[in-house]
Amino acid sequence: MDSGINVNALLGLAALLLIALCFLSAALVRQRREFQQALNDLPTGLCVISGDERVLNWNSQMASFSGLAPNKVQGRRLSMLPAPWPDALGEALAEKEGRVIKQALDGSAGDKRWVILHSSQPLRDGSLRQIVVEDITDYERLHDELEHKERLASIGRLAAGVAHEIGNPVTGIACVAQNLADSADAGELEQGTAEILKQTERITRTVAALMQLSHPGSGSEIDYAACNLADCVDEAVHLLSLDRESTSAEFENRCDREQLVLADSQLLLQVFLNLLDNAQTAAAGDGPVRVHAALEDGHVRICVDNLGDPVSQEVLDQAFEPFFTTKDVGEGTGLGLALVRRMIEDMGGQISLLSPLPSNTLGVRAELTLPTAKYEIGYTTDTDFDESR
């Protein structure tokens, strides 16, 4: 009797376990279906690649990007997919660190689409990899359009600056010439002629600066050489001291006397003439203009500091644009810093402005970097700034 009860109890328990397993299996199937649907509905493309590089999952966004239906690609090797997907996905798989890759893909209709691909770390002991693909074509087109508009705006600002810088002296010349036509006085004739020459020189300087901005060095090749940095700064300070009309300022050259930079000596002299002249004007007697430098990773970081009034970020953002100046009308063309940036970049360097000075509430810093150099190395116009040469 007891054995019969035990058998019935065991059968009942087995039935309950079977029912529980059925419910659990149904729940797992439902969750798997929901998870698969969630992956399929992601707003970005997702594909899952097996260890032998077969496509295990290809969601609807991937199908939309590629024009390939999931049932046409699942189970196939990457190498069997239509171009450009074998190369694009293969490059993403090659990135073990999961780095984001930006690629331009040629579409079937001849159009170009931009995507970024990000691969996951290997799953299941390296047997599975997930690759997320995001279409950024609209963003790239908007970026190109904004860049085009900015170029047009820059051309407009340049044209307005040229018209202003040349239009004013031309107007002055016309007025003086009209006065001379109505006067026979020798003194007025001499004074008017001098004024005309002065205004034509102003036009000539503006045109020459524009030509140099387009073709630094008057179109000649840059003569790369090992230049002594401290000596170049000294020469620029000396030349500024000869200009009786320039603002008098104290200069402190704190550059290492043995430090060499790779540059064109004449272009570098022009750079320091501009930067030191701007710095002494900005300092306006508030402390010395200091030049110091430090060697960092094969490059020399050079700082030109003044302790004048700080300038706003808006001014810093526009400082290198042609014809932008904070000086009074007639005191500057606004081409100096634009020329400086062009010359520095052509010599393989970079330049930026910072205000106020670090750990200070005043001043402006012009910071430029140039490759370091050695006297015993012969540099040419096609040098790549590699110290191992």
Side-chain angles (χ1 to χ4, degrees):
M1 186 70 179
D2 290 340
S3 61
I5 294 175
N6 289 338
V7 170
N8 290 333
L10 290 173
L11 289 175
L13 180 60
L16 290 175
L17 288 174
L18 182 60
I19 293 172
L21 286 175
C22 289
F23 277 110
L24 180 59
S25 177
L28 289 175
V29 170
R30 184 173 65 255
Q31 288 183 356
R32 179 185 173 127
R33 187 181 301 115
E34 290 174 352
F35 178 72
Q36 185 66 37
Q37 187 63 39
L39 292 180
N40 195 56
D41 293 341
L42 283 174
T44 57
L46 174 70
C47 60
V48 180
I49 309 298
S50 67
D52 59 353
E53 296 194 351
R54 292 183 182 275
V55 178
L56 300 182
N57 196 304
W58 191 268
N59 75 349
S60 59
Q61 280 297 323
M62 282 299 299
S64 177
F65 292 160
S66 64
L68 303 172
N71 61 347
K72 299 292 186 182
V73 297
Q74 287 178 352
R76 298 179 65 179
R77 291 186 179 274
L78 285 185
S79 58
M80 301 300 292
L81 299 182
W85 295 105
D87 291 339
L89 297 176
E91 184 175 349
L93 288 175
E95 292 293 335
K96 301 301 183 183
E97 300 299 325
R99 182 170 62 91
V100 175
I101 300 172
K102 178 180 174 181
Q103 286 194 7
L105 306 179
D106 293 324
S108 56
D111 58 332
K112 180 169 288 189
R113 303 193 67 81
W114 287 91
V115 298
I116 56 173
L117 303 98
H118 188 177
S119 60
S120 71
Q121 296 293 330
L123 306 175
R124 295 183 188 174
D125 299 326
S127 61
L128 291 178
R129 295 286 294 279
Q130 295 175 327
I131 302 177
V132 175
V133 183
E134 184 175 359
D135 189 348
I136 58 170
T137 304
D138 291 340
Y139 168 81
E140 286 295 317
R141 288 173 180 168
L142 178 60
H143 183 265
D144 291 344
E145 184 179 344
L146 290 175
E147 281 193 339
H148 178 64
K149 289 182 178 179
E150 180 57 31
R151 285 193 293 269
L152 291 179
S154 297
I155 292 172
R157 290 192 293 269
L158 180 63
V162 171
H164 175 77
E165 290 298 326
I166 294 181
N168 282 350
V170 166
T171 301
I173 291 172
C175 293
V176 173
Q178 183 63 44
N179 292 336
L180 290 179
D182 298 335
S183 174
D185 183 78
E188 290 186 6
L189 181 63
E190 182 179 356
Q191 183 180 357
T193 303
E195 183 63 26
I196 288 175
L197 290 175
K198 179 181 178 181
Q199 297 300 328
T200 54
E201 283 182 16
R202 181 178 170 186
I203 294 174
T204 301
R205 287 197 304 270
T206 300
V207 173
L210 282 170
M211 292 297 293
Q212 191 175 12
L213 183 61
S214 177
H215 303 286
S218 301
S220 61
E221 292 183 337
I222 295 178
D223 184 15
Y224 291 111
C227 303
N228 186 290
L229 180 60
D231 289 349
C232 188
V233 174
D234 284 344
E235 185 176 358
V237 170
H238 174 67
L239 291 175
L240 286 175
S241 69
L242 299 177
D243 186 359
R244 296 179 180 179
E245 297 182 0
S246 67
T247 305
S248 177
E250 179 185 354
F251 293 96
E252 292 184 4
N253 184 359
R254 298 184 176 182
C255 298
D256 186 342
R257 287 288 162 183
E258 303 299 323
Q259 182 61 63
L260 304 179
V261 294
L262 180 60
D264 182 302
S265 60
Q266 292 305 309
L267 290 183
L268 188 59
L269 179 59
Q270 291 185 53
V271 166
F272 282 121
L273 281 172
N274 274 284
L275 293 180
L276 293 177
D277 187 35
N278 285 347
Q280 71 173 355
T281 301
D286 295 331
V289 173
R290 294 189 177 96
V291 185
H292 51 99
L295 183 62
E296 297 179 355
D297 298 327
H299 284 72
V300 181
R301 182 170 63 90
I302 309 159
C303 299
V304 179
D305 296 345
N306 72 76
L307 290 172
D309 293 333
V311 298
S312 66
Q313 187 61 46
E314 182 180 0
V315 171
L316 294 178
D317 291 340
Q318 301 179 71
F320 293 106
E321 291 187 8
F323 296 110
F324 176 81
T325 179
T326 57
K327 296 180 180 179
D328 294 334
V329 176
E331 293 187 5
T333 63
L335 290 173
L337 285 179
L339 285 171
V340 165
R341 181 172 66 174
R342 178 62 189 268
M343 288 185 284
I344 286 293
E345 289 179 349
D346 281 357
M347 291 188 291
Q350 295 179 335
I351 184 168
S352 60
L353 295 178
L354 172 70
S355 183
L357 298 178
S359 302
N360 206 326
T361 59
L362 298 173
V364 180
R365 168 175 290 179
E367 183 175 302
L368 52 147
T369 59
L370 285 170
T372 187
K374 298 178 181 178
Y375 278 132
E376 61 268 21
I377 297 179
Y379 297 100
T380 62
T381 56
D382 60 350
T383 183
D384 60 359
F385 309 111
D386 186 351
E387 281 212 290
S388 64
R389 288 171 56 88

